[in-house]
Coordinates of all heavy atoms in Angstrom, one line a residue:
M27 N 8.0 16.0 17.7 CA 8.0 16.2 16.2 C 8.4 14.9 15.5 O 9.3 14.2 15.9 CB 9.1 17.3 16.0 CG 9.2 17.7 14.5 SD 10.3 19.1 14.2 CE 9.2 20.4 14.8
E28 N 7.7 14.6 14.5 CA 7.9 13.4 13.7 C 9.1 13.6 12.8 O 9.2 14.6 12.1 CB 6.7 13.0 12.9 CG 5.5 12.6 13.7 CD 5.7 11.3 14.4 OE1 6.3 10.4 13.9 OE2 5.1 11.2 15.5
E29 N 10.1 12.6 12.9 CA 11.3 12.7 12.1 C 11.5 11.4 11.4 O 11.1 10.4 11.8 CB 12.5 13.1 13.0 CG 12.4 14.4 13.7 CD 13.5 14.6 14.6 OE1 14.0 13.6 15.2 OE2 14.0 15.8 14.7
T30 N 12.2 11.5 10.3 CA 12.8 10.3 9.7 C 14.2 10.6 9.3 O 14.6 11.8 9.4 CB 11.9 9.9 8.4 OG1 12.3 8.6 8.0 CG2 12.0 10.9 7.3
T31 N 14.9 9.7 8.8 CA 16.3 9.9 8.4 C 16.5 9.7 7.0 O 15.8 8.9 6.4 CB 17.3 9.0 9.2 OG1 17.0 7.7 9.0 CG2 17.3 9.3 10.7
N32 N 17.5 10.4 6.4 CA 17.8 10.2 5.0 C 19.0 9.2 4.9 O 19.4 8.7 5.9 CB 18.1 11.5 4.3 CG 19.3 12.2 4.8 OD1 20.1 11.6 5.6 ND2 19.5 13.5 4.4
A33 N 19.5 9.0 3.7 CA 20.5 8.0 3.6 C 21.8 8.3 4.3 O 22.6 7.4 4.7 CB 20.9 7.8 2.1
N34 N 22.0 9.6 4.6 CA 23.2 10.0 5.4 C 23.0 10.0 6.9 O 23.9 10.3 7.6 CB 23.6 11.5 5.0 CG 23.9 11.6 3.5 OD1 24.5 10.7 2.9 ND2 23.6 12.7 2.9
G35 N 21.8 9.5 7.3 CA 21.5 9.4 8.7 C 21.1 10.7 9.3 O 20.9 10.8 10.5
K36 N 20.9 11.7 8.5 CA 20.5 13.0 9.0 C 19.0 13.0 9.2 O 18.2 12.5 8.4 CB 20.8 14.1 7.9 CG 20.3 15.5 8.3 CD 20.5 16.5 7.2 CE 20.0 17.8 7.6 NZ 19.2 18.4 6.6
F37 N 18.5 13.5 10.3 CA 17.1 13.6 10.6 C 16.5 14.7 9.7 O 17.0 15.8 9.6 CB 16.8 14.0 12.1 CG 17.0 12.8 13.0 CD1 18.2 12.7 13.7 CD2 16.1 11.8 13.1 CE1 18.4 11.6 14.6 CE2 16.3 10.7 13.9 CZ 17.4 10.6 14.7
V38 N 15.4 14.3 9.1 CA 14.6 15.3 8.3 C 13.2 15.3 8.8 O 12.7 14.3 9.3 CB 14.7 14.9 6.8 CG1 16.1 15.1 6.2 CG2 14.2 13.5 6.5
V39 N 12.5 16.4 8.6 CA 11.2 16.6 9.0 C 10.3 16.9 7.8 O 10.7 17.8 7.0 CB 11.0 17.7 10.0 CG1 9.6 18.0 10.4 CG2 11.8 17.4 11.3
L40 N 9.2 16.2 7.6 CA 8.3 16.4 6.5 C 7.1 17.1 7.1 O 6.5 16.5 8.0 CB 8.0 15.1 5.8 CG 7.1 15.3 4.5 CD1 7.5 14.2 3.5 CD2 5.6 15.3 4.8
I41 N 6.7 18.2 6.5 CA 5.5 18.9 6.9 C 4.6 18.9 5.8 O 4.9 19.3 4.7 CB 5.9 20.4 7.4 CG1 6.9 20.4 8.5 CG2 4.6 21.1 7.8 CD1 7.4 21.7 8.9
L42 N 3.3 18.5 6.0 CA 2.3 18.6 5.1 C 1.3 19.7 5.4 O 0.7 19.7 6.5 CB 1.5 17.2 5.1 CG 0.3 17.2 4.2 CD1 0.7 17.2 2.7 CD2 -0.5 15.9 4.5
Y43 N 1.3 20.8 4.6 CA 0.4 21.9 4.8 C -0.9 21.6 4.1 O -0.9 21.3 2.9 CB 1.0 23.2 4.3 CG 2.3 23.6 5.0 CD1 3.6 23.4 4.4 CD2 2.3 24.1 6.3 CE1 4.7 23.8 5.0 CE2 3.5 24.5 6.9 CZ 4.7 24.3 6.2 OH 5.9 24.7 6.9
T44 N -2.0 21.8 4.8 CA -3.3 21.6 4.3 C -4.2 22.8 4.8 O -3.7 23.6 5.5 CB -4.0 20.3 4.8 OG1 -4.0 20.3 6.2 CG2 -3.1 19.1 4.3
S45 N -5.4 22.8 4.3 CA -6.3 23.9 4.7 C -7.7 23.3 4.9 O -8.3 22.7 4.1 CB -6.4 25.0 3.6 OG -7.3 25.9 4.0
T46 N -8.3 23.6 6.1 CA -9.7 23.2 6.4 C -10.6 24.1 5.6 O -11.8 23.9 5.7 CB -10.0 23.3 7.9 OG1 -9.6 24.5 8.4 CG2 -9.2 22.2 8.6
N47 N -10.2 25.1 5.0 CA -11.0 26.0 4.1 C -11.4 25.2 2.9 O -12.3 25.6 2.1 CB -10.3 27.2 3.7 CG -10.2 28.3 4.8 OD1 -11.0 28.2 5.8 ND2 -9.3 29.2 4.7
I48 N -10.8 24.1 2.6 CA -11.2 23.2 1.5 C -11.6 21.9 2.0 O -10.8 20.9 2.2 CB -9.9 23.0 0.5 CG1 -9.4 24.3 0.1 CG2 -10.3 22.2 -0.7 CD1 -8.0 24.3 -0.6
P49 N -12.9 21.8 2.4 CA -13.4 20.5 3.0 C -13.3 19.4 2.0 O -13.5 19.5 0.8 CB -14.9 20.8 3.3 CG -15.2 22.1 2.6 CD -13.9 22.8 2.2
N50 N -12.9 18.2 2.5 CA -12.8 17.0 1.7 C -11.9 17.2 0.5 O -12.1 16.7 -0.5 CB -14.2 16.5 1.3 CG -15.1 16.3 2.4 OD1 -14.7 15.7 3.4 ND2 -16.3 16.8 2.3
C51 N -10.8 17.9 0.7 CA -9.8 18.1 -0.3 C -9.2 16.8 -0.8 O -8.5 16.1 -0.1 CB -8.7 19.0 0.2 SG -7.2 19.1 -0.9
P52 N -9.5 16.4 -2.0 CA -9.1 15.1 -2.5 C -7.5 15.0 -2.6 O -7.0 13.9 -2.4 CB -9.7 14.9 -3.9 CG -10.0 16.3 -4.3 CD -10.3 17.1 -3.1
Y53 N -6.9 16.1 -2.9 CA -5.4 16.1 -3.1 C -4.8 16.0 -1.7 O -3.8 15.3 -1.6 CB -5.0 17.3 -3.8 CG -5.6 17.5 -5.2 CD1 -6.5 18.5 -5.5 CD2 -5.2 16.5 -6.2 CE1 -7.0 18.6 -6.7 CE2 -5.8 16.6 -7.4 CZ -6.7 17.6 -7.7 OH -7.2 17.7 -9.0
C54 N -5.4 16.6 -0.7 CA -4.8 16.4 0.7 C -5.0 15.0 1.2 O -4.1 14.4 1.7 CB -5.5 17.4 1.6 SG -5.3 19.2 1.2
D55 N -6.2 14.4 0.8 CA -6.5 13.0 1.2 C -5.5 12.1 0.5 O -4.9 11.2 1.2 CB -7.9 12.6 0.8 CG -8.9 13.4 1.7 OD1 -8.6 13.9 2.7 OD2 -10.1 13.4 1.2
E56 N -5.2 12.3 -0.7 CA -4.3 11.5 -1.5 C -2.8 11.6 -0.9 O -2.1 10.7 -0.8 CB -4.3 11.9 -3.0 CG -3.4 11.0 -3.8 CD -3.9 9.6 -3.9 OE1 -5.2 9.3 -3.7 OE2 -3.1 8.7 -4.2
A57 N -2.5 12.9 -0.5 CA -1.1 13.1 0.1 C -1.0 12.3 1.4 O 0.0 11.6 1.6 CB -0.9 14.6 0.3
R58 N -2.0 12.4 2.2 CA -2.0 11.7 3.5 C -1.9 10.2 3.3 O -1.1 9.5 3.9 CB -3.2 11.9 4.3 CG -3.3 13.3 4.9 CD -4.6 13.4 5.8 NE -4.9 14.8 5.9 CZ -5.8 15.4 5.2 NH1 -6.5 14.8 4.3 NH2 -6.1 16.7 5.4
K59 N -2.7 9.7 2.3 CA -2.7 8.2 2.0 C -1.3 7.8 1.5 O -0.8 6.8 2.0 CB -3.8 8.0 1.0 CG -3.9 6.5 0.6 CD -5.0 6.3 -0.5 CE -4.9 4.9 -1.0 NZ -5.8 4.7 -2.2
W60 N -0.7 8.5 0.6 CA 0.6 8.2 0.1 C 1.6 8.1 1.1 O 2.4 7.2 1.2 CB 0.9 9.1 -1.1 CG 2.2 8.7 -1.8 CD1 2.3 7.8 -2.8 CD2 3.5 9.2 -1.5 NE1 3.6 7.7 -3.2 CE2 4.4 8.5 -2.4 CE3 4.1 10.0 -0.5 CZ2 5.8 8.7 -2.4 CZ3 5.4 10.3 -0.5 CH2 6.3 9.6 -1.4
L61 N 1.6 9.2 2.0 CA 2.6 9.2 3.1 C 2.5 8.0 4.0 O 3.5 7.4 4.4 CB 2.5 10.5 3.8 CG 2.9 11.8 3.0 CD1 2.4 13.0 3.7 CD2 4.4 11.8 2.8
V62 N 1.3 7.7 4.4 CA 1.0 6.6 5.3 C 1.4 5.2 4.6 O 2.1 4.4 5.2 CB -0.5 6.5 5.7 CG1 -0.8 5.2 6.5 CG2 -0.8 7.7 6.6
E63 N 1.0 5.1 3.3 CA 1.3 3.8 2.6 C 2.8 3.6 2.5 O 3.3 2.5 2.4 CB 0.7 3.8 1.2 CG -0.8 3.6 1.3 CD -1.4 3.7 -0.1 OE1 -0.8 4.1 -1.1 OE2 -2.6 3.4 -0.2
N64 N 3.6 4.7 2.4 CA 5.0 4.7 2.2 C 5.8 4.8 3.6 O 7.0 4.9 3.6 CB 5.5 5.7 1.2 CG 5.2 5.4 -0.2 OD1 5.9 4.6 -0.8 ND2 4.0 5.8 -0.7
K65 N 5.0 4.7 4.6 CA 5.5 4.7 6.0 C 6.5 5.9 6.2 O 7.5 5.8 6.8 CB 6.3 3.4 6.3 CG 5.4 2.2 6.2 CD 6.1 0.9 6.5 CE 5.2 -0.2 6.6 NZ 5.0 -1.0 5.4
I66 N 6.0 7.1 5.7 CA 6.7 8.3 5.9 C 6.1 9.1 7.0 O 4.9 9.4 7.0 CB 6.8 9.1 4.6 CG1 7.5 8.3 3.5 CG2 7.4 10.5 4.8 CD1 7.4 8.9 2.1
K67 N 6.9 9.4 8.1 CA 6.3 10.2 9.2 C 6.2 11.6 8.7 O 7.1 12.1 8.0 CB 7.3 10.1 10.4 CG 7.4 8.7 10.9 CD 8.4 8.6 12.1 CE 8.5 7.2 12.6 NZ 9.5 7.2 13.6
Y68 N 5.1 12.3 9.2 CA 5.0 13.7 8.8 C 4.2 14.4 9.9 O 3.5 13.8 10.7 CB 4.2 13.8 7.5 CG 2.8 13.3 7.5 CD1 1.8 14.2 7.6 CD2 2.5 11.9 7.3 CE1 0.4 13.7 7.6 CE2 1.2 11.5 7.4 CZ 0.2 12.4 7.5 OH -1.1 12.0 7.5
I69 N 4.2 15.7 9.8 CA 3.5 16.6 10.6 C 2.5 17.3 9.7 O 2.9 17.8 8.7 CB 4.4 17.6 11.3 CG1 5.4 16.9 12.2 CG2 3.5 18.6 12.1 CD1 6.5 17.9 12.6
E70 N 1.2 17.4 10.1 CA 0.3 18.1 9.2 C -0.1 19.4 9.9 O -0.4 19.5 11.1 CB -1.0 17.3 9.1 CG -2.0 18.0 8.1 CD -3.1 17.0 7.7 OE1 -3.1 15.8 8.0 OE2 -4.1 17.6 7.2
I71 N 0.0 20.5 9.1 CA -0.3 21.8 9.7 C -1.4 22.4 8.8 O -1.3 22.5 7.6 CB 0.9 22.7 9.7 CG1 2.0 22.2 10.6 CG2 0.5 24.2 10.1 CD1 3.3 22.9 10.6
D72 N -2.5 22.9 9.5 CA -3.6 23.5 8.8 C -3.3 25.0 8.7 O -3.1 25.7 9.7 CB -4.9 23.3 9.6 CG -6.1 24.0 9.0 OD1 -6.0 24.5 7.9 OD2 -7.2 23.9 9.7
I73 N -3.2 25.5 7.5 CA -2.9 26.9 7.3 C -4.1 27.8 7.1 O -3.9 29.0 6.8 CB -1.9 27.1 6.1 CG1 -2.5 26.7 4.8 CG2 -0.6 26.3 6.4 CD1 -1.7 27.1 3.6
A74 N -5.3 27.3 7.2 CA -6.5 28.0 6.9 C -6.6 29.4 7.6 O -7.0 30.4 7.0 CB -7.7 27.2 7.3
N75 N -6.2 29.5 8.9 CA -6.4 30.7 9.6 C -5.0 31.4 9.9 O -5.0 32.2 10.9 CB -7.2 30.5 10.9 CG -8.6 30.0 10.5 OD1 -9.3 30.6 9.7 ND2 -9.0 28.9 11.2
N76 N -4.0 31.0 9.2 CA -2.7 31.6 9.5 C -2.1 32.3 8.3 O -1.5 31.8 7.4 CB -1.7 30.4 9.9 CG -0.4 30.9 10.4 OD1 0.1 32.0 10.0 ND2 0.2 30.1 11.3
K77 N -2.5 33.6 8.2 CA -2.1 34.4 7.0 C -0.6 34.5 6.9 O -0.1 34.6 5.8 CB -2.7 35.8 7.2 CG -4.2 35.8 7.2 CD -4.8 35.4 5.9 CE -6.4 35.4 5.9 NZ -7.0 34.7 4.9
K78 N 0.1 34.6 8.0 CA 1.6 34.7 7.9 C 2.2 33.5 7.3 O 3.0 33.6 6.4 CB 2.1 35.0 9.3 CG 3.6 35.2 9.3 CD 4.1 35.5 10.8 CE 5.6 35.8 10.8 NZ 6.0 36.1 12.2
L79 N 1.7 32.3 7.7 CA 2.2 31.1 7.1 C 1.8 30.9 5.6 O 2.5 30.5 4.8 CB 1.8 29.9 7.9 CG 2.4 28.5 7.6 CD1 3.9 28.6 7.6 CD2 1.9 27.5 8.6
Q80 N 0.5 31.3 5.3 CA 0.1 31.3 3.9 C 1.0 32.1 3.1 O 1.4 31.7 2.0 CB -1.4 31.8 3.8 CG -2.4 30.9 4.4 CD -3.8 31.6 4.5 OE1 -4.0 32.6 3.8 NE2 -4.7 31.0 5.2
K81 N 1.3 33.3 3.5 CA 2.2 34.2 2.8 C 3.6 33.6 2.6 O 4.2 33.6 1.5 CB 2.4 35.5 3.5 CG 3.2 36.6 2.8 CD 3.2 37.9 3.5 CE 4.1 38.9 2.7 NZ 4.2 40.2 3.4
K82 N 4.1 33.0 3.6 CA 5.5 32.3 3.5 C 5.4 31.2 2.5 O 6.3 31.1 1.6 CB 5.9 31.8 4.9 CG 7.2 31.0 4.8 CD 7.5 30.4 6.2 CE 8.8 29.5 6.0 NZ 9.1 28.9 7.3
I83 N 4.4 30.4 2.5 CA 4.3 29.3 1.6 C 4.1 29.8 0.2 O 4.7 29.3 -0.8 CB 3.2 28.3 2.0 CG1 3.5 27.6 3.3 CG2 2.9 27.3 0.9 CD1 2.4 26.9 4.0
Y84 N 3.3 30.8 0.0 CA 3.2 31.4 -1.3 C 4.5 31.9 -1.9 O 4.9 31.8 -3.0 CB 2.1 32.6 -1.3 CG 2.0 33.2 -2.7 CD1 1.2 32.5 -3.7 CD2 2.6 34.4 -3.0 CE1 1.1 33.1 -4.9 CE2 2.5 34.9 -4.3 CZ 1.7 34.3 -5.2 OH 1.6 34.8 -6.5
Q85 N 5.3 32.6 -1.0 CA 6.6 33.1 -1.4 C 7.5 31.9 -1.8 O 8.3 32.1 -2.8 CB 7.3 33.9 -0.3 CG 6.6 35.2 0.0 CD 7.1 35.9 1.2 OE1 7.7 35.3 2.1 NE2 6.9 37.2 1.3
K86 N 7.4 30.8 -1.2 CA 8.3 29.6 -1.5 C 7.8 28.9 -2.8 O 8.6 28.3 -3.5 CB 8.3 28.7 -0.3 CG 8.9 29.2 0.9 CD 10.4 29.3 0.8 CE 11.0 29.8 2.1 NZ 12.4 29.9 2.1
T87 N 6.5 28.8 -3.0 CA 5.9 28.0 -4.0 C 5.3 28.8 -5.2 O 5.0 28.2 -6.2 CB 4.9 27.0 -3.5 OG1 3.7 27.8 -3.0 CG2 5.4 26.2 -2.4
E88 N 5.0 30.0 -5.0 CA 4.3 30.9 -6.0 C 2.9 30.2 -6.3 O 2.4 30.3 -7.4 CB 5.1 31.1 -7.2 CG 6.4 31.8 -7.0 CD 7.2 32.1 -8.2 OE1 6.9 31.5 -9.2 OE2 8.2 32.8 -8.1
S89 N 2.3 29.6 -5.3 CA 1.0 29.0 -5.5 C 0.2 29.1 -4.2 O 0.8 29.1 -3.1 CB 1.2 27.5 -5.8 OG 0.0 26.8 -5.9
K90 N -1.1 29.2 -4.3 CA -2.0 29.2 -3.1 C -2.7 27.9 -3.0 O -3.6 27.8 -2.2 CB -3.0 30.3 -3.3 CG -2.4 31.7 -3.3 CD -3.4 32.8 -3.3 CE -2.7 34.2 -3.3 NZ -3.6 35.3 -3.3
N91 N -2.2 26.9 -3.7 CA -2.9 25.6 -3.6 C -2.3 24.7 -2.5 O -1.1 24.9 -2.1 CB -2.7 24.8 -4.9 CG -3.3 25.5 -6.1 OD1 -4.4 26.2 -5.9 ND2 -2.8 25.3 -7.3
V92 N -3.1 23.9 -2.0 CA -2.7 22.8 -1.0 C -3.0 21.5 -1.6 O -3.9 21.4 -2.5 CB -3.4 23.0 0.4 CG1 -2.9 24.3 1.1 CG2 -4.9 23.0 0.3
P93 N -2.4 20.5 -1.2 CA -1.4 20.4 -0.1 C 0.0 20.9 -0.6 O 0.3 21.0 -1.8 CB -1.3 19.0 0.2 CG -1.6 18.3 -1.1 CD -2.6 19.1 -1.7
V94 N 0.8 21.3 0.3 CA 2.2 21.6 0.1 C 3.0 20.8 1.0 O 2.7 20.6 2.2 CB 2.5 23.1 0.3 CG1 4.0 23.4 0.3 CG2 1.8 24.0 -0.7
V95 N 4.1 20.2 0.5 CA 5.0 19.4 1.4 C 6.3 20.2 1.5 O 6.8 20.7 0.5 CB 5.3 18.0 0.7 CG1 6.4 17.3 1.4 CG2 4.0 17.2 0.7
N96 N 6.8 20.2 2.7 CA 8.1 20.9 3.0 C 9.0 19.8 3.6 O 8.7 19.3 4.7 CB 7.9 22.1 3.9 CG 9.2 22.7 4.4 OD1 10.3 22.3 4.1 ND2 9.1 23.7 5.3
I97 N 10.1 19.5 3.0 CA 11.1 18.6 3.5 C 12.4 19.4 3.7 O 13.1 19.7 2.8 CB 11.4 17.4 2.6 CG1 10.1 16.7 2.3 CG2 12.3 16.4 3.3 CD1 10.2 15.6 1.2
D98 N 12.6 19.8 5.0 CA 13.8 20.5 5.3 C 14.1 21.7 4.4 O 15.2 21.9 3.9 CB 15.0 19.6 5.4 CG 15.1 18.8 6.7 OD1 14.3 19.1 7.6 OD2 16.0 18.0 6.8
G99 N 13.0 22.4 4.0 CA 13.2 23.6 3.2 C 13.0 23.4 1.7 O 13.0 24.4 0.9
S100 N 12.8 22.2 1.3 CA 12.4 21.9 -0.1 C 10.9 21.8 -0.2 O 10.3 20.9 0.5 CB 13.1 20.6 -0.6 OG 14.5 20.6 -0.6
Y101 N 10.3 22.7 -1.0 CA 8.9 22.7 -1.0 C 8.3 22.1 -2.3 O 8.9 22.3 -3.4 CB 8.4 24.2 -1.0 CG 8.5 24.8 0.3 CD1 9.7 25.3 0.8 CD2 7.4 25.0 1.2 CE1 9.9 25.9 2.1 CE2 7.5 25.5 2.4 CZ 8.8 26.0 2.9 OH 8.9 26.5 4.1
F102 N 7.3 21.3 -2.2 CA 6.6 20.7 -3.3 C 5.1 21.1 -3.2 O 4.5 20.9 -2.2 CB 6.7 19.1 -3.2 CG 8.1 18.6 -3.2 CD1 8.8 18.6 -2.0 CD2 8.7 18.2 -4.4 CE1 10.1 18.1 -2.1 CE2 10.0 17.8 -4.4 CZ 10.7 17.7 -3.3
R103 N 4.6 21.6 -4.3 CA 3.2 22.2 -4.2 C 2.2 21.3 -4.9 O 2.5 20.6 -5.8 CB 3.2 23.6 -4.8 CG 3.5 23.6 -6.2 CD 3.5 25.0 -6.7 NE 3.9 25.0 -8.2 CZ 4.1 26.0 -8.9 NH1 4.0 27.2 -8.3 NH2 4.4 25.9 -10.2
G104 N 1.0 21.4 -4.4 CA -0.1 20.6 -5.0 C 0.1 19.2 -4.7 O 1.0 18.8 -3.9
W105 N -0.7 18.3 -5.3 CA -0.3 16.9 -5.2 C 0.3 16.5 -6.5 O 0.2 17.2 -7.5 CB -1.4 16.0 -4.7 CG -0.9 14.6 -4.3 CD1 -1.3 13.4 -4.7 CD2 0.2 14.4 -3.4 NE1 -0.6 12.4 -4.1 CE2 0.3 13.0 -3.3 CE3 1.0 15.2 -2.6 CZ2 1.3 12.4 -2.5 CZ3 1.9 14.6 -1.8 CH2 2.1 13.2 -1.7
F106 N 1.0 15.4 -6.5 CA 2.2 15.2 -7.3 C 2.1 14.2 -8.5 O 1.4 13.3 -8.4 CB 3.4 14.8 -6.4 CG 3.5 15.7 -5.2 CD1 3.1 15.3 -4.0 CD2 3.8 17.0 -5.3 CE1 3.1 16.1 -2.8 CE2 3.9 17.9 -4.2 CZ 3.5 17.4 -3.0
K107 N 3.0 14.5 -9.4 CA 3.2 13.6 -10.5 C 4.2 12.5 -9.9 O 4.8 12.7 -8.9 CB 3.9 14.3 -11.7 CG 3.1 15.4 -12.2 CD 4.0 16.1 -13.3 CE 3.5 17.5 -13.5 NZ 4.4 18.4 -14.1
K108 N 4.2 11.4 -10.7 CA 5.1 10.3 -10.2 C 6.6 10.8 -10.0 O 7.3 10.3 -9.1 CB 5.0 9.1 -11.2 CG 3.7 8.4 -11.0 CD 3.7 7.1 -11.9 CE 2.4 6.4 -11.7 NZ 2.4 5.1 -12.4
S109 N 7.0 11.7 -10.9 CA 8.4 12.1 -10.8 C 8.7 12.9 -9.5 O 9.7 12.8 -8.9 CB 8.8 13.0 -12.0 OG 8.0 14.1 -12.1
E110 N 7.7 13.7 -9.1 CA 7.8 14.4 -7.8 C 7.8 13.5 -6.6 O 8.5 13.7 -5.7 CB 6.7 15.5 -7.7 CG 6.9 16.6 -8.8 CD 5.7 17.5 -8.9 OE1 4.6 16.9 -9.0 OE2 5.9 18.7 -8.9
L111 N 6.9 12.5 -6.7 CA 6.9 11.5 -5.6 C 8.2 10.8 -5.5 O 8.7 10.5 -4.4 CB 5.7 10.5 -5.9 CG 4.3 11.1 -5.8 CD1 3.3 10.0 -6.2 CD2 4.0 11.6 -4.4
K112 N 8.8 10.5 -6.7 CA 10.1 9.8 -6.7 C 11.1 10.7 -6.0 O 12.0 10.3 -5.2 CB 10.5 9.4 -8.1 CG 11.8 8.7 -8.2 CD 12.1 8.3 -9.6 CE 13.5 7.6 -9.7 NZ 13.9 7.3 -11.0
E113 N 11.1 12.0 -6.3 CA 12.0 12.9 -5.8 C 11.9 13.0 -4.2 O 12.8 13.1 -3.5 CB 11.9 14.3 -6.4 CG 12.9 15.3 -5.9 CD 12.8 16.7 -6.6 OE1 12.0 16.8 -7.6 OE2 13.5 17.6 -6.2
I114 N 10.6 13.0 -3.8 CA 10.4 13.1 -2.3 C 11.0 11.8 -1.7 O 11.6 11.9 -0.7 CB 8.8 13.2 -2.0 CG1 8.3 14.6 -2.4 CG2 8.6 12.9 -0.6 CD1 6.8 14.7 -2.4
K115 N 10.7 10.6 -2.3 CA 11.3 9.4 -1.8 C 12.8 9.4 -1.8 O 13.4 8.9 -0.8 CB 10.8 8.2 -2.6 CG 9.3 7.9 -2.2 CD 8.9 6.7 -3.1 CE 8.6 5.5 -2.3 NZ 8.1 4.4 -3.0
E116 N 13.4 10.0 -2.8 CA 14.8 10.1 -2.8 C 15.4 11.0 -1.7 O 16.4 10.7 -1.1 CB 15.3 10.6 -4.2 CG 15.2 9.5 -5.3 CD 15.6 10.0 -6.7 OE1 16.3 11.0 -6.8 OE2 15.2 9.3 -7.6
I117 N 14.7 12.1 -1.5 CA 15.1 13.0 -0.4 C 15.1 12.2 0.9 O 16.0 12.3 1.7 CB 14.3 14.2 -0.3 CG1 14.6 15.1 -1.6 CG2 14.5 15.0 1.0 CD1 13.6 16.3 -1.7
L118 N 14.0 11.5 1.1 CA 13.9 10.7 2.4 C 14.5 9.4 2.3 O 14.6 8.7 3.4 CB 12.4 10.5 2.6 CG 11.6 11.8 2.8 CD1 10.1 11.6 2.9 CD2 12.1 12.6 4.1
K119 N 14.9 8.9 1.1 CA 15.6 7.6 1.0 C 14.7 6.5 1.5 O 15.0 5.6 2.3 CB 16.9 7.5 1.6 CG 17.9 8.4 1.0 CD 18.2 8.1 -0.4 CE 19.2 9.0 -1.1 NZ 19.2 9.0 -2.5
K120 N 13.4 6.6 1.0 CA 12.4 5.5 1.3 C 12.1 4.8 0.1 O 11.8 5.4 -1.0 CB 11.1 6.2 1.9 CG 11.3 6.8 3.2 CD 11.3 5.9 4.3 CE 11.3 6.5 5.7 NZ 11.3 5.6 6.7
D121 N 12.0 3.5 0.1 CA 11.6 2.7 -1.1 C 10.3 2.0 -0.8 O 9.9 1.7 0.2 CB 12.6 1.7 -1.4 CG 13.9 2.3 -2.0 OD1 13.8 3.4 -2.6 OD2 15.0 1.8 -1.7

């Protein structure tokens, strides 16, 4: 499992939920690119055929859109505004 640490030295896991039901998803591509450019380790999970996981993510985000980022239980839906990217970086303490 890919992990990174926050400023407190706690290991955190970032999960990027995507769906192969949306071929060439530009928002998913942008999310991957941003994570790689910022050297943030992540796990990508395809939720296309997992109805149980789709339901869980919908309950957490009230959205059926992908990508969704989960950082230790904090969910971010869709791809992001600069303020949300800043919040993700703050959670991970990456500059």
Side-chain angles (χ1 to χ4, degrees):
M27 184 173 285
E28 294 291 324
E29 298 175 326
T30 191
T31 56
N32 66 13
N34 299 325
K36 178 185 176 225
F37 284 102
V38 294
V39 176
L40 187 146
I41 302 171
L42 176 66
Y43 297 105
T44 59
S45 176
T46 52
N47 286 340
I48 306 169
N50 302 315
C51 170
Y53 301 112
C54 299
D55 292 343
E56 186 65 26
R58 286 184 205 96
K59 180 181 173 187
W60 186 86
L61 291 165
V62 169
E63 286 175 354
N64 286 277
K65 297 180 175 93
I66 297 171
K67 295 178 184 176
Y68 68 97
I69 299 165
E70 184 170 349
I71 298 177
D72 179 5
I73 64 168
N75 297 311
N76 188 330
K77 298 293 182 195
K78 185 176 179 180
L79 189 51
Q80 289 173 15
K81 183 178 179 181
K82 176 184 175 182
I83 291 169
Y84 179 78
Q85 290 172 338
K86 298 285 185 182
T87 66
E88 298 179 353
S89 175
K90 294 183 179 181
N91 296 331
V92 290
V94 170
V95 170
N96 172 2
I97 305 171
D98 281 354
S100 295
Y101 286 79
F102 300 85
R103 63 182 181 188
W105 195 233
F106 311 108
K107 302 175 201 163
K108 287 186 179 185
S109 61
E110 292 167 314
L111 294 174
K112 183 178 178 183
E113 186 177 351
I114 289 171
K115 284 177 113 177
E116 286 179 17
I117 290 172
L118 297 172
K119 294 299 180 194
K120 296 276 184 184
D121 292 327

